[in-house]
Amino acid sequence: MKNILDIKDLNVKFYTDDGVVSAVNGIDLQISKGETLGLVGETGAGKSTTALGIMGLIDSPPGKVESGRIFFSGRDLCTLKEDEYRKVRGKDISMIFQDPMTALNPVFRVIDQISEVIENHRNVSQKQAEEEAVKMLELVRIPASRAYDYPHQFSGGMKQRVVIAIALACNPQLLIADEPTTALDVTIQAQILELMKDLKHEIKTSMLLITHDLGVVAEICDRVAIMYAGEIVECGTLEDIFENPLHPYTNGLFGSIPDIEKEIEFLSPIEGMMPDPVMLPSGCKFHPRCKYAQPLCAEVLPTSIENSPGHSVRCLIYEGKLGKVEVVKYE
């Protein structure tokens, strides 16, 4: 299947007064047409920075895409000028930002905010754009009668639906959803996830879903990439990651999740904290927190190897450099 998005060796750094922040460190990612890829990791792993890199929205200064290529439908986005990027952004690639409460302009009606996107990217009149905007609202289960309301008149869940309507207004080929349910309560989260699943099938768009919630990943995604300290440490199908997690970090994530079907007195949290991106550890970035770490792990940077077709992992254990080590799978 042809890839709609192909990221090769992407590096993003931020130059601050405190030092150089290595936010994204040589990642490779692919998304094929119609596929949903879940990008999972702790806060500070580099997930949102990756998304902003794809959208061409890295603040410069202080941020900079140091190296790498981002191919979208065969076109290298890193070579585009800002006016060319603006034609792609919102039309071919759209993004649902993290907090629906702040993503909407409070002084404009929601119909104006949706129709603006349509007018910018399609050759239509204002009236046609507003008619399309009403259809988009109905598509995300908001009555047409609410089109002329202001954002403050909507609940958090309905604001998120408006944000989704804006993102989908021009039928993008790729939708980036950055933790779309984070600020919502549990029942509304379930509704938004169900809505996104339905829309994915209706519009047939590819999706990059950024989250730290493995439950959300299980609901929506076809493939999963696990991110740690700016690197992809494991990537595979949903079945690969959930049934046969390889990397110690991936296993640690699963071990940290409570399971109502099992009687466990204590969870098995991952010890320690995510490293400071200004002072990343040498060698394997996860070695200070890894219970399988050996002295070599602090010296050698692991490479990504394919353990089985489509299932890659970045760990010296699977390169055979640590001798015979068996990673205990979560139970």
Side-chain angles (χ1 to χ4, degrees):
M1 197 179 291
K2 189 176 180 183
N3 291 330
I4 193 165
L5 181 73
D6 195 349
I7 300 175
K8 296 182 182 295
D9 195 28
L10 182 66
N11 289 273
V12 180
K13 296 185 186 300
F14 291 86
Y15 294 86
T16 71
D17 293 340
D18 296 326
V20 179
V21 176
S22 301
V24 177
N25 304 304
I27 70 164
D28 296 312
L29 272 183
Q30 294 80 37
I31 301 176
S32 56
K33 287 187 177 179
E35 179 182 63
T36 297
L37 174 70
L39 187 58
V40 181
E42 294 173 76
T43 301
K47 307 184 299 297
S48 295
T49 303
T50 301
L52 293 173
I54 297 168
M55 294 292 291
L57 293 174
I58 299 288
D59 285 336
S60 179
K64 184 181 179 184
V65 177
E66 287 280 299
S67 61
R69 291 285 175 261
I70 303 170
F71 292 98
F72 175 73
S73 294
R75 188 183 187 188
D76 187 356
L77 299 180
C78 294
T79 64
L80 299 185
K81 295 178 180 176
E82 178 54 31
D83 58 335
E84 295 174 310
Y85 225 130
R86 204 174 287 126
K87 293 175 184 176
V88 173
R89 194 187 298 130
K91 179 175 182 290
D92 298 317
I93 308 175
S94 284
M95 186 165 173
I96 301 170
F97 290 93
Q98 200 163 8
D99 186 0
M101 310 301 171
T102 58
L104 297 171
N105 191 322
V107 300
F108 289 102
R109 301 170 303 177
V110 297
I111 190 170
D112 299 325
Q113 299 190 51
I114 302 171
S115 59
E116 181 185 18
V117 177
I118 297 168
E119 282 186 81
N120 283 343
H121 293 291
R122 292 198 215 167
N123 187 24
V124 296
S125 67
Q126 183 179 347
K127 184 182 177 185
Q128 289 173 310
E130 289 187 358
E131 289 171 355
E132 284 293 316
V134 170
K135 288 180 186 175
M136 288 307 305
L137 283 174
E138 291 176 331
L139 185 66
V140 297
R141 324 271 207 279
I142 292 178
S145 59
R146 301 295 307 273
Y148 295 90
D149 288 349
Y150 289 86
H152 74 269
Q153 295 172 279
F154 289 84
S155 66
M158 291 188 81
K159 283 180 185 175
Q160 189 63 296
R161 290 169 190 263
V162 173
V163 171
I164 292 171
I166 292 171
L168 296 176
C170 292
N171 292 328
Q173 298 175 59
L174 175 65
L175 177 64
I176 301 173
D178 188 1
E179 306 210 17
T181 60
T182 295
L184 309 175
D185 65 54
V186 176
T187 52
I188 303 301
Q189 282 186 24
Q191 292 174 19
I192 294 296
L193 289 175
E194 199 61 40
L195 172 66
M196 290 179 70
K197 274 176 21 183
D198 292 345
L199 292 175
K200 176 179 176 255
H201 292 119
E202 284 180 45
I203 299 175
K204 294 181 171 52
T205 185
S206 305
M207 191 189 305
L208 175 63
L209 177 66
I210 296 170
T211 183
H212 58 263
D213 189 335
L214 287 163
V216 171
V217 169
E219 281 283 316
I220 292 185
C221 299
D222 304 304
R223 288 194 310 118
V224 187
I226 306 293
M227 196 166 192
Y228 184 82
E231 297 178 349
I232 302 297
V233 296
E234 187 168 359
C235 187
T237 64
L238 192 65
E239 186 178 357
D240 285 334
I241 302 299
F242 277 72
E243 299 296 328
N244 185 33
L246 299 176
H247 198 279
Y249 178 63
T250 311
N251 272 282
L253 289 178
F254 282 110
S256 303
I257 301 171
D259 189 335
I260 60 172
E261 295 180 358
K262 294 171 184 172
E263 292 187 13
I264 301 174
E265 189 173 354
F266 297 106
L267 294 175
S268 303
I270 304 171
E271 300 294 334
M273 300 286 289
M274 177 82 72
D276 184 343
V278 177
M279 296 180 292
L280 289 174
S282 59
C284 172
K285 306 295 184 290
F286 186 59
H287 86 262
R289 304 173 70 187
C290 181
K291 58 185 177 183
Y292 305 102
Q294 296 181 22
L296 189 64
C297 298
E299 300 171 12
V300 178
L301 182 68
T303 56
S304 183
I305 63 166
E306 199 168 49
N307 189 69
S308 60
H311 188 182
S312 61
V313 61
R314 185 188 287 264
C315 179
L316 295 180
I317 292 173
Y318 300 96
E319 293 184 45
K321 292 180 178 177
L322 301 184
K324 188 166 179 58
V325 178
E326 186 175 346
V327 176
V328 178
K329 301 293 191 288
Y330 77 98
E331 294 295 337

